[in-house]
């Protein structure tokens, strides 16, 4: 006699799964982007509130860990929906935060500046994506700062004529979005 394995029925697909399975690539991409944008807005808000906590308590490892986790989420989710450049920028920041946490380095004003710039860049980026714009912020300064902080180079001199709001205004969108939405 032969043994029969028990029949295990797969759970019925949800309405959303059926919709995605029957949809075109464009519809699937649009749906995934919409989900990403909802999550990204929450993640950017988390970075903002945790940055304020970090400024108040720079020795709080849990706060820095929460910022790293939020950055990791932006990286992974961005890559998953095809936003490769956004994912790469988040990866650069995440690597710096990982190093800080792994080596238990005291939070410096430069690290706080990097996290503030991260918040500003991703706020603009998510805003542009929400507007279905093909523009992205210039994240080169953020990437350069993240790389420099990992390398241990001394901080670059701060410009004395710029205020923080003016510096954030310079994040105006400058490049066409090279990724497919």
């Amino acid at each position: 006699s032969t043994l029969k394995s028990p029949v295990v029925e797969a759970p019925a697909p949800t309405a959303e799964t059926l919709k995605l399975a029957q949809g075109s690539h464009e519809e699937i991409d649009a749906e995934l982007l919409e989900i990403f944008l909802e999550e990204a807005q929450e993640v950017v808000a988390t970075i903002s509130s945790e940055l304020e906590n970090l400024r108040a308590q720079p020795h709080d490892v849990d706060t820095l860990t929460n910022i790293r986790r939020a950055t990791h989420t932006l990286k992974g989710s961005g890559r998953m929906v095809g936003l490769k450049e956004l994912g790469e920028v988040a990866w650069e920041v995440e690597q710096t935060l990982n190093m800080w946490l792994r080596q238990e380095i005291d939070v410096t004003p430069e690290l706080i500046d990097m996290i503030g710039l991260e918040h500003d860049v991703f706020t603009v980026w998510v805003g542009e994506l929400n507007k279905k714009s093909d523009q992205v912020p210039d994240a080169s300064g953020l990437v350069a700062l993240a790389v420099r902080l990992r390398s241990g180079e001394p901080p670059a001199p701060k410009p004395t004529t710029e205020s923080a709001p003016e510096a954030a205004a310079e994040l105006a969108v400058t490049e066409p979005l090279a990724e497919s939405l």
Side-chain angles (χ1 to χ4, degrees):
S1 80
T2 56
L3 294 173
K4 289 181 93 179
S5 59
V7 176
V8 178
E9 290 191 33
T14 64
E16 186 169 308
T17 301
L18 288 172
K19 178 181 166 195
L20 287 174
Q22 295 167 352
S24 69
H25 286 295
E26 293 81 18
E27 290 169 331
I28 293 169
D29 290 348
E31 179 81 19
L32 289 175
L33 182 62
E34 186 178 318
I35 293 166
F36 166 78
L37 288 172
E38 285 177 27
E39 181 179 61
Q41 288 172 321
E42 293 172 17
V43 169
V44 169
T46 296
I47 292 170
S48 178
S49 64
E50 292 293 345
L51 177 58
E52 292 309 310
N53 293 341
L54 192 63
R55 284 181 173 134
Q57 298 179 334
H59 300 294
D60 186 352
V61 174
D62 290 339
T63 299
L64 191 58
T65 300
N66 290 340
I67 294 168
R68 193 221 52 95
R69 191 174 297 123
T71 304
H72 177 80
T73 299
L74 282 174
K75 175 196 74 176
S77 298
R79 286 176 172 172
M80 189 168 51
V81 298
L83 299 170
K84 293 179 193 86
E85 187 178 349
L86 184 146
E88 290 306 306
V89 171
W91 181 86
E92 291 287 354
V93 173
E94 181 185 21
Q95 294 309 302
T96 302
L97 295 171
N98 283 340
M99 185 188 92
W100 237 259
L101 288 163
R102 188 175 52 252
Q103 296 181 8
E104 299 177 358
I105 303 169
D106 287 339
V107 171
T108 62
E110 293 81 21
L111 185 71
I112 288 177
D113 288 348
M114 182 196 74
I115 296 166
L117 187 54
E118 172 192 19
H119 173 264
D120 294 346
V121 165
F122 287 120
T123 296
V124 170
W125 210 323
V126 170
E128 290 299 314
L129 288 168
N130 265 318
K131 293 189 290 187
K132 298 185 182 2
S133 166
D134 64 350
Q135 304 291 304
V136 298
D138 179 0
S140 61
L142 173 58
V143 170
L145 180 55
V147 169
R148 186 178 56 72
L149 288 174
R150 286 197 310 273
S151 74
E153 291 177 30
K158 288 191 176 209
T160 56
T161 57
E162 280 187 347
S163 69
E166 289 167 345
E170 287 183 18
L171 289 174
V173 292
T174 57
E175 301 175 15
L177 184 60
E179 300 141 1
S180 65
L181 299 177

